[in-house]
């Protein structure tokens, strides 16, 4: 289509990179939009954006037109993902929230991934395939009357009655009797009127310790993203049936997410992350040693590599959030997430290098993944530790010396005396 071969073959990976450019742009604006207009409104508006522009893509008359709409689809896709993630975490109770953030989101992502090769096997025309993948977005329309707005967001906007109505409806659905007074408007108004200290992106470089953690997190997220999307996009280039290989690439994510969830519950973060990255990186490096006639072993190693990198990708969200203090946690995770978007933009070109040497993408991705595993070992361990609230309370990077300020010493004493207060601030 559109003569994307020979001198124009560079347009193929560029199309994919442009989609991730849209994801990058959407990441910038999705948080601000949902904070201003509400989680539910942004969720359904961006779902409509993704579905609408995907539908228009079906009728593209040129590569340029297709690529422009691909950017817009990427913006809608990440924006509704972020809005749904935030909405779920704010609505669900503590007992189910962690399950939703790990298995709930990730497993259903993997199920959708598994459906892709199934659709593609029976629909060989790319326009009809894109249409078939777009139309299910219409099934989300009835959910407008099912999914409520976030009560937490409504409270932050001073819309207390709407928030209370949602909470009462939830109590009734669960067979519980709500108290007569759930929200005291006068107390909430006083809470909202309190001036909070503002923090900027520069606070991620305020001390040597947080600067080191930020740099390491950015590198880690970028490398993991290159490995994950590089292996996903390289699936068609593997030996054997392209549809089966794509399906296997999706199936392997299910045990990867389950294992990462179990590791996060029971074992230290640093060693779990490093083990997953070493597994993913080492098996990718071994692929070049496999004889060409043993194709099944090569595919097995690629899937093992995908398993390790996917597990690390799932764990890095939680680990990064635990390393940053409450006052800049959102910015810290956001900066790391932006780095992962840059990694996803670069990933198609790692795959493109396979045209020059079949093993070069695996050598590069494997080497970088092993190096990121080594880097992880220098991060502080957060398992079983209280979440830091201030920059002074942050855990130290290995090898860094730090003399706590009087304020941080005082904070530590307060935490010892009032452990329940500090537990309640954890998320």
């Amino acid at each position: 289509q559109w003569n994307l071969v020979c001198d124009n073959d560079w347009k193929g990976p560029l199309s994919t990179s442009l989609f991730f450019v849209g994801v990058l742009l959407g990441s910038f604006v999705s948080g601000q939009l949902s904070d201003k207009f509400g989680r539910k409104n942004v969720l359904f508006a961006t779902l409509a954006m993704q579905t609408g522009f995907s539908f228009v893509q079906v009728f593209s008359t040129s590569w340029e037109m297709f690529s422009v709409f691909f950017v817009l689809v990427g913006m809608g896709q990440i924006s509704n993902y972020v809005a749904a993630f935030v909405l779920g975490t704010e609505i669900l109770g503590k007992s189910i929230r962690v399950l939703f953030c790990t298995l709930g989101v990730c497993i259903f992502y993997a199920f959708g991934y598994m459906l892709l090769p199934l659709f593609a096997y029976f629909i060989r025309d790319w326009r009809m395939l894109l249409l078939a993948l777009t139309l299910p977005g219409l099934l989300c329309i009835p959910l407008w009357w099912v999914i409520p707005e976030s009560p937490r967001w409504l409270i932050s906007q001073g819309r207390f009655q709407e928030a209370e109505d949602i909470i009462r409806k939830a109590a009734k659905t669960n067979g519980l009797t709500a108290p007569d007074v759930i929200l005291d408007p006068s107390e909430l108004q006083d809470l909202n009127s309190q001036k909070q200290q503002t923090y900027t992106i520069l606070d991620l470089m305020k001390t040597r310790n947080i600067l080191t953690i930020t740099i390491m997190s950015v590198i880690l997220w970028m490398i993991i993203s290159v490995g994950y999307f590089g292996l996903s996009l390289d699936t068609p280039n593997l030996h054997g049936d392209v549809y089966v290989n794509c399906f296997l690439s999706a199936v392997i994510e299910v045990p990867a997410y389950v294992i990462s969830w179990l590791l996060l519950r029971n074992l230290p973060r640093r060693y779990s992350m490093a083990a997953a990255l070493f597994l993913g990186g080492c098996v990718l490096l071994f692929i070049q040693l496999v004889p060409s006639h043993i194709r099944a072993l090569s595919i097995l190693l690629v899937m093992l590599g995908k398993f390790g990198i996917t597990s690390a990708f799932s764990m890095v969200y939680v680990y990064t959030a635990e390393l940053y203090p409450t006052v800049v946690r959102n910015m810290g995770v956001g900066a790391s997430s932006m780095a992962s978007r840059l990694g996803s933009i670069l990933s198609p070109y790692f795959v493109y290098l396979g045209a020059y040497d079949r093993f070069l993408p695996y050598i590069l991705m494997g080497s970088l993944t092993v190096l990121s595993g080594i880097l992880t070992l220098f991060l502080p361990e957060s398992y079983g530790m209280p979440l830091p609230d201030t920059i002074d309370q942050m855990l130290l990077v290995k090898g860094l010396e730090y003399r706590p300020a009087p304020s941080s010493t005082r904070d530590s004493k307060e935490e010892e005396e009032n452990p329940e207060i500090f537990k309640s601030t954890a998320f």
Side-chain angles (χ1 to χ4, degrees), residues 139-283:
L139 299 176
C140 296
I141 294 176
L143 295 178
W144 174 265
W145 291 274
V146 177
I147 298 175
E149 180 56 271
S150 165
R152 293 176 184 269
W153 180 80
L154 291 171
I155 291 171
S156 72
Q157 301 297 305
R159 295 159 62 176
F160 306 123
Q161 188 58 50
E162 294 176 59
E164 186 166 320
D165 290 343
I166 291 172
I167 295 171
R168 289 190 183 280
K169 184 178 180 181
K172 184 178 180 181
T173 303
N174 291 319
L176 302 173
T177 302
D180 294 334
V181 179
I182 297 177
L183 304 172
D184 188 336
S186 59
E187 292 182 4
L188 291 169
Q189 290 284 13
D190 292 338
L191 185 64
N192 286 341
S193 63
Q194 291 177 359
K195 291 185 178 179
Q196 301 291 330
Q197 182 180 353
T198 57
Y199 290 84
T200 67
I201 196 74
L202 296 177
D203 287 291
L204 297 180
M205 299 173 277
K206 187 175 182 179
T207 66
R208 186 181 172 193
N209 187 52
I210 192 171
L211 174 62
T212 304
I213 287 177
T214 299
I215 292 172
M216 294 169 74
S217 296
V218 164
I219 295 172
L220 190 61
W221 279 64
M222 186 180 295
I223 292 175
I224 293 175
S225 184
V226 166
Y228 175 81
F229 288 105
L231 289 178
S232 298
L233 296 171
D234 191 55
T235 304
N237 299 325
L238 297 175
H239 298 295
D241 187 271
V242 62
Y243 302 99
V244 173
N245 290 339
C246 186
F247 181 76
L248 291 175
S249 180
V251 168
I252 199 68
E253 294 200 4
V254 176
Y257 292 133
V258 174
I259 289 294
S260 63
W261 176 61
L262 293 173
L263 290 175
L264 286 173
R265 287 188 61 188
N266 302 298
L267 293 174
R269 315 289 196 235
R270 183 172 57 192
Y271 299 120
S272 299
M273 278 274 297
L277 290 168
F278 284 138
L279 171 65
C282 290
V283 296

Side-chain angles (χ1 to χ4, degrees), residues 265-337:
R265 287 188 61 188
N266 302 298
L267 293 174
R269 315 289 196 235
R270 183 172 57 192
Y271 299 120
S272 299
M273 278 274 297
L277 290 168
F278 284 138
L279 171 65
C282 290
V283 296
L284 292 180
L285 291 174
F286 288 148
I287 290 174
Q288 59 185 314
L289 304 178
V290 177
S292 58
H293 63 278
I294 312 179
R295 296 178 175 179
L297 181 57
S298 296
I299 295 174
L300 176 63
L301 291 178
V302 172
M303 296 307 160
L304 275 176
K306 180 77 180 295
F307 173 86
I309 293 174
T310 301
S311 298
F313 212 163
S314 180
M315 288 187 280
V316 75
Y317 278 88
V318 176
Y319 192 18
T320 305
E322 291 177 345
L323 291 177
Y324 280 103
T326 302
V327 292
V328 292
R329 183 171 293 123
N330 194 51
M331 281 188 289
V333 175
S336 302
S337 181

